[in-house]
Amino acid sequence: MGLFTVPEARAELARLRPVLDELVRLRADAAELAASLRPGGWETTLGGMPEWKAAQARLDDLMTTVQRTGAELKGFAPLLVDFPAELDGVDVLLCWLEGDPELCWYHRVDLGFAGRRRLPDRVVVTEEIAAGLFDGMAAHYDEDTFHGLVAEALVDGLGRTAPERVLDVATGTGVAAFAALRLEPGEVLAIDISPGMIAQAEMKAATRDPGKVITWQVASAVPSPVEDDGADAVLCASSLHFLGAAALRDWLRALRPGGRVGFSLPLASAFRPSEAFAAIVPADLKLPETEDDAAELAAEAGFTEVTVKRLDVESEDRVRSVFVVHATKP
């Protein structure tokens, strides 16, 4: 196996998260079953010898899955995963320990765990690596109902006139694209750099879009695969802060005169991405703190008739807030 770059290792870790989570759960089950099988062991509702053997076999499969990526599983309890890499010409192991929120440590190969140091704050991230990060989220993305609320708010602001062509940028699992169907558009082009996200969207489309109004495409967001003046409406739910100011200019290019754009942005004070996702946030777009800040972003890009609403959604432990922006191409 070859060496990982830091972004590649972080993307691979994101893809491995479901495997590692299952490893942790099965490890506990296997330990409880093993204890119950000993003389005088406590009874367990998990089963007996057959279940213990099944757990062991599954653990072996999961550990093999980790090793096949090129990562090295160095510890089992707690889990310790190393990714061979090179930093400044030195052979190192990028080191993830169970409980770490992200891959943010490394050590020289000759020093071992005791030589762990924090990784540099910023690394160069390619589009391929960014796609890998979002691939890792795809299977569970729709568990967060907040995305649907943002999508509905974006579609609400486009007006009631049926657009002939809608472009949904960074569609994810297609939440905004599906919401746009209630406007009865002629067609919707939904694009995302993540094949995993698009695959999830296409599975839902069998029931959510039986008329096949939506075309799904793995594609770069900037520039979008739409000709000049080729769209009546553009949607972008919770992704502009990963695309940068260039996306606003591209939407102005892609919209016909009079076309509408709807996008959302998190509040600067509330945006706390993980280290992996912080690395893909461009520096050319300043997140807004007020409605006026959000409106200014659209106006500076050349849009008119800018409106901004703050959407606050209370969950069990916090209030999540975004600015929902709508504007028109002159």
Side-chain angles (χ1 to χ4, degrees), residues 209-282:
D209 181 27
K212 297 184 178 181
V213 175
I214 305 172
T215 298
W216 307 98
Q217 185 175 344
V218 177
S220 299
V222 183
S224 60
V226 172
E227 67 277 12
D228 294 358
D229 302 336
D232 299 280
V234 171
L235 294 170
C236 183
S238 306
S239 295
L240 177 58
H241 50 294
F242 292 120
L243 305 179
L248 288 164
R249 296 189 293 271
D250 188 64
W251 300 342
L252 196 70
R253 173 198 65 80
L255 281 168
R256 64 165 177 78
R260 295 279 286 167
V261 64
F263 63 90
S264 61
L265 277 171
L267 280 66
S269 57
F271 184 55
R272 298 181 182 86
S274 66
E275 290 205 28
F277 283 93
I280 65 174
V281 175

Side-chain angles (χ1 to χ4, degrees), residues 10 29 39 44 53 77 93 105 113 128 176 184 248 271 315:
R10 284 175 170 163
D29 288 352
T44 176
K53 289 183 176 179
L93 294 171
W105 297 86
F113 190 84
E128 180 180 0
E184 299 183 350
L248 288 164
F271 184 55
S315 60

Side-chain angles (χ1 to χ4, degrees), residues 8-267:
E8 287 169 343
R10 284 175 170 163
E12 191 60 63
L13 177 62
R15 285 189 287 266
L16 281 173
R17 285 288 190 177
V19 175
L20 298 173
D21 289 345
E22 187 177 356
L23 265 169
V24 171
R25 179 180 61 79
L26 278 176
R27 184 186 65 197
D29 288 352
E32 184 174 329
L33 286 162
S36 73
L37 293 171
R38 299 189 191 107
W42 291 2
E43 291 186 6
T44 176
T45 59
L46 296 176
M49 180 63 74
E51 287 74 20
W52 178 80
K53 289 183 176 179
Q56 290 294 330
R58 179 58 179 160
L59 285 170
D60 288 342
D61 289 343
L62 293 170
M63 289 188 287
T64 298
T65 298
V66 174
Q67 301 280 24
R68 283 176 177 167
T69 66
E72 302 173 2
L73 187 58
K74 294 291 187 63
F76 181 65
L79 291 177
L80 178 61
V81 182
D82 284 344
F83 298 85
E86 182 181 288
L87 289 179
D88 299 325
V90 177
D91 289 335
V92 301
L93 294 171
L94 307 175
C95 184
W96 178 82
L97 177 66
E98 182 180 332
D100 287 348
E102 298 293 339
L103 182 67
C104 50
W105 297 86
Y106 76 99
H107 59 80
R108 281 180 6 203
V109 294
D110 62 321
L111 294 180
F113 190 84
R116 290 213 313 171
R117 300 179 186 275
R118 289 193 67 87
L119 284 164
D121 290 337
R122 301 288 296 185
V123 292
V124 177
V125 180
T126 65
E127 189 170 279
E128 180 180 0
I129 301 308
L133 289 174
F134 289 104
D135 281 346
M137 300 172 56
H140 301 286
Y141 191 78
D142 289 331
E143 295 173 5
D144 187 350
T145 58
F146 184 68
H147 301 305
L149 297 175
V150 173
E152 292 295 334
L154 291 177
V155 173
D156 285 344
L158 292 183
R160 297 184 178 181
T161 303
E164 179 56 33
R165 191 182 194 195
V166 176
L167 170 65
D168 182 21
V169 179
T171 188
T173 59
V175 181
F178 290 125
L181 292 178
R182 63 181 166 85
L183 299 179
E184 299 183 350
E187 62 176 313
V188 178
L189 174 60
I191 64 172
D192 202 285
I193 61 169
S194 165
M197 290 287 192
I198 292 293
Q200 291 291 321
E202 289 179 323
M203 285 192 291
K204 294 191 295 182
T207 55
R208 299 282 299 275
D209 181 27
K212 297 184 178 181
V213 175
I214 305 172
T215 298
W216 307 98
Q217 185 175 344
V218 177
S220 299
V222 183
S224 60
V226 172
E227 67 277 12
D228 294 358
D229 302 336
D232 299 280
V234 171
L235 294 170
C236 183
S238 306
S239 295
L240 177 58
H241 50 294
F242 292 120
L243 305 179
L248 288 164
R249 296 189 293 271
D250 188 64
W251 300 342
L252 196 70
R253 173 198 65 80
L255 281 168
R256 64 165 177 78
R260 295 279 286 167
V261 64
F263 63 90
S264 61
L265 277 171
L267 280 66

